[in-house]
């Protein structure tokens, strides 16, 4: 059917680089809030990280995501676009990329993207979270010791080697079930709002959305997606951070049970504010980088300057 297009993967990689640079500091804050101890709220977390580790603390472990998350986003956007294109051609016999794209096609393409995302991105997020959390003070409650902070890993390569040596190759997929439960609905709330909003705010007479429309629709979609994904993101972060020093959780249900028993229902919404705030600029940068790159790669100049 000729539906596969490599440009979607390249444009996704460029958008991924932009999103990592824009959103990484708040991603560190989000991880510390969800899996760390001793933070009263988002602003308190920001102040404490800066006080203890200076501005560089917000970029701890960024080198690995900058290289890997960009590739990860390349696959995510490439899989979504090509799957949606294939479904449209398979169902209708022709490609429909403009306004009025089929909602079932968008849902199924988003779900496929969520599955691929968890399979490819699980190890990436695990390494990122382990590096972000390794200087986070922790409480050895079971031993009655005071909280302390010790650097467990010397960098991304050492982190990967340590996990494989101590936990085996399957250790790289710790939290994969929670990530599936987060990403399958998460990408539905990511791509579908973006497509619908960008179509809604683009006048019918215009051949393509403006950069402003892309940023607005992408930002809103990102805030919605990350906001709704927060409960399972908390569970995923805790399971993946587990093992830096101690092993507390036996799986998703055990993590949910222990978290609820110890901290109540509100724990599953820890970091929702920073998630939603972080989601807007990250996703705006992601979609803008993707759409502009795609236009350049295809030699298409339909995106307006205003």
């Amino acid at each position: 059917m000729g539906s596969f297009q490599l440009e979607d993967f390249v444009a996704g990689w460029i958008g991924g680089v932009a999103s990592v640079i824009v959103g990484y500091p708040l991603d560190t804050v989000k991880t510390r809030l969800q899996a760390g101890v001793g933070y009263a709220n988002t602003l308190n977390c920001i102040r404490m990280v800066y006080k203890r580790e200076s501005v560089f603390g917000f970029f701890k472990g960024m080198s690995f995501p900058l290289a890997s998350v960009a590739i990860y986003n390349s696959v995510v956007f490439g899989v979504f676009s090509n799957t949606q294109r294939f479904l449209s051609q398979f169902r209708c016999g022709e490609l429909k990329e403009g306004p009025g794209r089929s909602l079932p096609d968008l849902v199924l393409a988003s779900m496929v993207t969520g599955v691929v995302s968890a399979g490819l991105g699980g190890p990436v997020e695990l390494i990122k979270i382990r590096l972000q959390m390794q200087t986070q003070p922790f409480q050895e409650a079971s031993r009655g010791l005071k909280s302390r902070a010790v650097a467990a890993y010397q960098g991304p390569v050492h982190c990967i080697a340590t996990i494989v040596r101590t936990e085996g190759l399957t250790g790289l997929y710790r939290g994969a079930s929670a990530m599936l439960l987060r990403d399958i609905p998460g990408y539905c709330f990511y791509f579908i709002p973006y497509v619908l909003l960008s179509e809604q705010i683009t006048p019918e007479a215009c051949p393509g959305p403006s950069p402003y429309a892309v940023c607005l629709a992408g930002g809103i979609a990102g805030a919605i997606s990350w906001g709704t994904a927060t409960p399972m993101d908390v569970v995923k972060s805790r399971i993946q951070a587990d093992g830096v020093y101690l092993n507390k959780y036996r799986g998703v249900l055990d993590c949910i049970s222990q978290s609820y028993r110890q901290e109540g229902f509100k724990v599953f919404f820890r970091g929702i504010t920073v998630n939603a705030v972080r989601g807007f600029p990250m996703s705006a940068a992601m979609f803008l980088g993707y759409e502009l790159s795609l236009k350049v790669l295809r030699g298409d100049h339909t995106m307006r300057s205003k």
Side-chain angles (χ1 to χ4, degrees):
M1 291 183 178
S3 62
F4 181 83
Q5 293 187 14
L6 185 62
E7 294 96 330
D8 291 300
F9 290 88
V10 178
W13 180 83
I14 295 171
V17 170
S19 70
V20 170
I21 294 172
V22 169
Y24 197 81
L26 282 177
D27 183 68
T28 297
V29 174
K30 183 267 296 184
T31 301
R32 297 286 182 93
L33 281 170
Q34 291 180 342
V37 296
Y39 302 120
N41 51 49
T42 300
L43 291 178
N44 176 253
C45 180
I46 292 172
R47 284 197 298 266
M48 290 181 70
V49 171
Y50 180 76
K51 182 179 179 180
R52 291 169 176 164
E53 305 167 53
S54 78
V55 69
F56 297 106
F58 296 102
F59 295 92
K60 191 176 294 295
M62 182 176 166
S63 60
F64 183 68
L66 192 59
S68 56
V69 173
I71 298 173
Y72 165 69
N73 277 295
S74 167
V75 175
V76 163
F77 273 73
V79 168
F80 172 78
S81 299
N82 282 285
T83 301
Q84 191 271 326
R85 191 178 296 114
F86 170 78
L87 291 171
S88 176
Q89 290 184 332
F90 181 78
R91 183 174 52 82
C92 303
E94 61 180 2
L95 176 63
K96 187 173 181 59
E97 285 192 300
R101 279 178 281 188
S102 166
L103 183 59
D105 289 354
L106 293 174
V107 171
L108 187 54
S110 299
M111 293 177 69
V112 170
T113 302
V115 173
V116 173
S117 164
L120 179 67
V124 173
E125 293 219 3
L126 177 72
I127 303 305
K128 173 180 70 69
I129 285 177
R130 291 289 180 90
L131 291 171
Q132 287 174 327
M133 293 300 297
Q134 67 171 335
T135 55
Q136 159 66 26
F138 69 99
Q139 187 73 35
E140 292 184 299
S142 61
R143 302 180 187 179
L145 301 178
K146 293 180 179 179
S147 61
R148 60 190 176 93
V150 181
Y153 310 113
Q154 298 169 9
V157 175
H158 181 250
C159 182
I160 294 170
T162 301
I163 292 171
V164 172
R165 185 177 67 252
T166 58
E167 305 174 48
L169 286 173
T170 56
L172 293 173
Y173 284 90
R174 180 188 290 266
S177 298
M179 194 167 177
L180 271 173
L181 293 172
R182 184 197 71 173
D183 284 4
I184 291 176
Y187 277 113
C188 289
F189 285 114
Y190 187 64
F191 284 113
I192 296 172
Y194 171 73
V195 170
L196 297 180
L197 284 169
S198 61
E199 290 179 356
Q200 188 69 29
I201 60 181
T202 300
E204 291 185 9
C206 296
S210 67
Y212 167 77
V214 170
C215 285
L216 182 60
I220 292 174
I224 292 172
S225 176
W226 275 109
T228 55
T230 295
M232 196 50 62
D233 190 49
V234 170
V235 175
K236 181 202 72 72
S237 293
R238 290 187 165 211
I239 292 174
Q240 291 186 324
D242 191 36
V244 177
Y245 305 107
L246 304 172
N247 287 287
K248 293 174 57 180
Y249 309 119
R250 296 190 301 272
V252 173
L253 292 179
D254 183 54
C255 180
I256 293 173
S257 176
Q258 285 196 48
S259 299
Y260 175 75
R261 207 165 50 241
Q262 295 169 7
E263 301 171 69
F265 187 69
K266 65 181 181 181
V267 69
F268 300 109
F269 296 92
R270 180 174 292 175
I272 190 171
T273 301
V274 71
N275 252 349
V277 170
R278 176 185 71 107
F280 193 100
M282 272 189 71
S283 297
M286 177 72 235
F287 278 105
L288 183 62
Y290 171 76
E291 294 285 7
L292 289 177
S293 302
L294 203 58
K295 300 295 182 186
V296 171
L297 291 168
R298 292 177 176 175
D300 186 352
H301 304 289
T302 57
M303 183 173 286
R304 299 172 296 132
S305 60
K306 296 183 179 179

